[in-house]
């Protein structure tokens, strides 16, 4: 069980629309009865809480509000506490109290800033990767995120590249329509201009 998606700064109704999504990386069902969220928010999972193999589990600050807004069913909660807009640590503990997953998200360094109030969620690029590294996270391509579902539906993976602010970029300033040939592997951009961000 790992953290997979976090809505920590919703576009509207901030206190009522915060939520955390967990993902079961295993092919077998997992009984999380007695497990708990700890850190920024706290919540103890009730008896008979089963997460299907490859399934999702959503815990919200206001389950009814999230269900009404999204049509999602089986939202757990409410959790106690708030998800800080500037960064926070979340932990998932099993019924023995052992930390089985942890994420300390933020808005600086390599953490994406888009989830901080624009309406998108903090979304793991590949739900089978570790939760700790910022490089494993991006932002949802849907406003409101995708609680209870794949982060990037219809895509096997999300192409994400991080570049330094002063990185050099190649661009075509000719004003001529290049069609789609320039998007294909092997296209030569040797005559394109090079410049520093921001272009």
């Amino acid at each position: 069980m790992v953290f997979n998606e976090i809505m920590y700064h919703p576009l509207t109704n901030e206190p009522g629309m915060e939520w955390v999504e967990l993902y079961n990386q295993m092919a077998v069902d997992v009984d999380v009865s007695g497990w708990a969220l700890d850190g920024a928010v706290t919540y103890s999972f009730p008896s008979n809480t089963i997460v299907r193999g490859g399934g999702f589990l959503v815990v919200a600050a206001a389950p009814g509000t999230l269900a009404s807004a999204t049509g999602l069913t089986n939202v757990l909660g409410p959790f106690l506490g708030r998800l800080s807009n500037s960064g926070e640590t979340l932990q998932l503990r099993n019924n023995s109290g052992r930390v089985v997953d942890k994420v300390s998200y933020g808005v600086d360094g390599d953490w994406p800033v888009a989830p901080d109030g624009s309406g998108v969620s903090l979304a793991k690029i590949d739900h089978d990767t570790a939760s700790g590294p910022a490089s494993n996270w991006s932002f949802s391509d849907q406003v409101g995120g995708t609680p209870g579902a794949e982060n990037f539906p219809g895509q096997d993976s999300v192409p994400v590249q991080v570049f330094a602010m002063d990185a050099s970029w190649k661009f075509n300033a000719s004003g001529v329509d290049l069609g789609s040939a320039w998007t294909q592997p092997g296209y030569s951009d040797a005559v394109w201009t090079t410049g520093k961000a921001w272009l």
Side-chain angles (χ1 to χ4, degrees):
M1 293 294 299
V2 294
F3 291 101
N4 189 57
E5 193 172 6
I6 304 166
M7 179 59 82
Y8 66 84
H9 191 174
L11 186 60
T12 59
N13 190 8
E14 189 171 342
M17 290 297 289
E18 290 183 354
W19 50 269
V20 174
E21 179 189 77
L22 301 171
Y23 174 72
N24 180 359
Q25 293 178 322
M26 299 190 299
V28 297
D29 298 351
V30 174
D31 184 347
V32 296
S33 304
W35 290 35
L37 293 178
D38 191 12
V41 298
T42 58
Y43 178 78
S44 294
F45 295 97
S47 296
N48 301 316
T49 303
I50 308 294
V51 184
R52 300 291 176 210
F56 302 94
L57 181 65
V58 177
V59 185
T65 302
L66 181 61
S68 295
T70 63
L72 185 64
T73 58
N74 300 321
V75 180
L76 298 181
F79 55 62
L80 300 176
R82 293 285 307 275
L83 297 169
S84 172
N85 295 345
S86 60
E88 200 74 74
T89 296
L90 291 167
Q91 296 182 118
L92 176 64
R93 294 183 181 273
N94 66 13
N95 54 3
S96 299
R98 183 177 66 85
V99 174
V100 295
D101 199 39
K102 176 180 175 180
V103 59
S104 296
Y105 69 87
V107 294
D108 52 5
D110 292 334
W111 289 99
V113 296
D116 188 14
S118 70
V120 296
S121 65
L122 181 63
K124 195 180 281 185
I125 297 166
D126 178 349
H127 49 53
D128 289 321
T129 58
S131 298
S135 59
N136 290 346
W137 295 83
S138 185
F139 53 90
S140 61
D141 57 5
Q142 297 181 33
V143 172
T146 56
E150 290 289 342
N151 291 349
F152 304 99
Q155 299 179 23
D156 292 331
S157 63
V158 179
V160 175
Q161 282 187 287
V162 178
F163 295 95
M165 290 295 290
D166 61 351
S168 292
W169 296 74
K170 303 243 357 194
F171 63 97
N172 186 300
S174 69
V176 176
D177 183 357
L178 301 176
S180 62
W182 70 276
T183 65
Q184 302 304 309
Y187 180 85
S188 175
D189 59 3
V191 297
W192 287 19
T193 306
T194 300
K196 300 258 186 202
W198 304 86
L199 298 175

